[in-house]
Amino acid sequence: GAGVSQTPSNKVTEKGKYVELRCDPISGHTALYWYRQSLGQGPEFLIYFQGTGAADDSGLPNDRFFAVRPEGSVSTLKIQRTERGDSAVYLCASSQGAANEQFFGPGTRLTVL
Amino acid sequence: DQQVKQNSPSLSVQEGRISILNCDYTNSMFDYFLWYKKYPAEGPTFLISISSIKDKNEDGRFTVFLNKSAKHLSLHIVPSQPGDSAVYFCAASAQDTGFQKLVFGTGTRLLVSP
C-alpha cells in the first residue's frame, strides 16, 4: 500500500507570507505527527494528533504555527508570517496507534527568502 | 539542550566489516529507543528499537545494545554493505508522553565502501 505522502515536495516563499503543508498518512493510521528538520539537525517534534484532536502540541515553536486534522486523516500544517528561520524540511509521520512505529513521509522542503 | 547526542557526524567502514554507531542520552525518563535510517530526499525509515527493560535486541545484521547506567546505546551492523550508506538517527521516547514524542539525535552519516 501507499506510504505517507506530503505535498508539495518543495515550497519557496517570501518572508511574511502564509504557507500550508499537507500530509496524507497511511490509510487506517490513527496517529499523525509533524516534525521539523533543520540543516545539520535531527527531526524535531512539533505536534501529534490522535484522531482529529491535537494530543500534544508542545513542540510548536510559536503561535505562527498551527496544524489541523479535521477528519482524522489528512493533516495540514499552517505557518503564518513566515520567517527565514522557518526554512527547514517538514516531516510528517503516521502510526497505527499509540506506541507503534512511526512511518515517515519524504518531507516538504520549505525555503523562506 | 540536546537530550540525545550522536557525537560522530560521520563514519567510514569497508564492506564486510562491522559498523558501530553510538548514541548518548541525558534524560533518565527515556525508556524506549529507536534507530532510523535516512537516504537523501526520503523520510527516515525505522530500523530497530529497544525497550529499557532489555539490553540487547537483534534483527538480522542489525543489533542494538543499551547500557542504561551509562545512558548509552549503540547500533552494530555486521557485515556492513554499501547499501547501508545513509544517515542514521538515534531517537528516544518516554512512557510519560505515551511514547509518541520522539527526540532525535543529530545523526551519523555512514559510508560503506566496496
Side-chain angles (χ1 to χ4, degrees):
Chain A
V4 177
S5 63
Q6 293 186 244
T7 54
S9 54
N10 279 285
K11 175 72 177 177
V12 180
T13 191
E14 292 180 343
K15 180 175 178 294
K17 299 287 189 182
Y18 167 82
V19 297
E20 289 190 352
L21 312 179
R22 177 187 166 108
C23 172
D24 279 88
I26 293 172
S27 177
H29 280 191
T30 58
L32 184 147
Y33 315 79
W34 284 99
Y35 291 83
R36 176 170 72 173
Q37 186 176 10
S38 301
L39 195 61
Q41 301 296 313
E44 174 191 18
F45 172 83
L46 295 178
I47 186 170
Y48 147 60
F49 288 89
Q50 184 62 258
T52 60
D56 184 347
D57 65 358
S58 61
L60 294 178
N62 52 59
D63 61 5
R64 295 188 296 105
F65 289 75
F66 189 70
V68 295
R69 195 186 184 199
E71 297 176 0
S73 179
V74 169
S75 176
T76 305
L77 178 66
K78 308 180 181 198
I79 311 174
Q80 299 177 320
R81 303 182 306 280
T82 51
E83 299 178 356
R84 292 193 180 91
D86 299 335
S87 296
V89 175
Y90 288 81
L91 293 162
C92 176
S94 69
S95 68
Q96 206 157 24
N100 282 322
E101 173 193 340
Q102 296 182 23
F103 293 84
F104 282 81
T108 293
R109 181 176 295 279
L110 175 67
T111 303
V112 182
L113 301 176
Chain B
D1 178 34
Q2 194 75 23
Q3 296 185 69
V4 177
K5 300 176 186 179
Q6 293 177 258
N7 292 319
S8 297
S10 63
L11 176 67
S12 291
V13 171
Q14 278 194 316
E15 182 178 8
R17 300 290 190 108
I18 184 171
S19 295
I20 301 176
L21 296 97
N22 293 303
C23 177
D24 297 290
Y25 61 96
T26 57
N27 188 341
S28 57
M29 296 297 290
F30 289 146
D31 46 17
Y32 192 69
F33 304 89
L34 309 90
W35 285 93
Y36 278 82
K37 173 178 170 179
K38 187 180 184 305
Y39 293 117
E42 294 183 12
T45 304
F46 171 76
L47 201 53
I48 193 169
S49 62
I50 188 166
S51 164
S52 61
I53 62 172
K54 294 185 171 184
D55 55 18
K56 177 182 174 181
N57 189 25
E58 193 171 351
D59 183 2
R61 296 187 297 114
F62 303 91
T63 303
V64 56
F65 296 91
L66 175 62
N67 182 334
K68 279 193 303 182
S69 60
K71 294 192 177 68
H72 176 84
L73 64 156
S74 61
L75 173 68
H76 292 210
I77 307 174
V78 183
S80 302
Q81 299 173 353
D84 296 330
S85 298
V87 177
Y88 289 78
F89 290 99
C90 170
S93 65
Q95 188 175 16
D96 66 353
T97 61
F99 302 112
Q100 300 307 318
K101 190 171 171 177
L102 295 182
V103 180
F104 284 84
T106 53
T108 296
R109 183 177 301 276
L110 175 65
L111 177 62
V112 181
S113 54

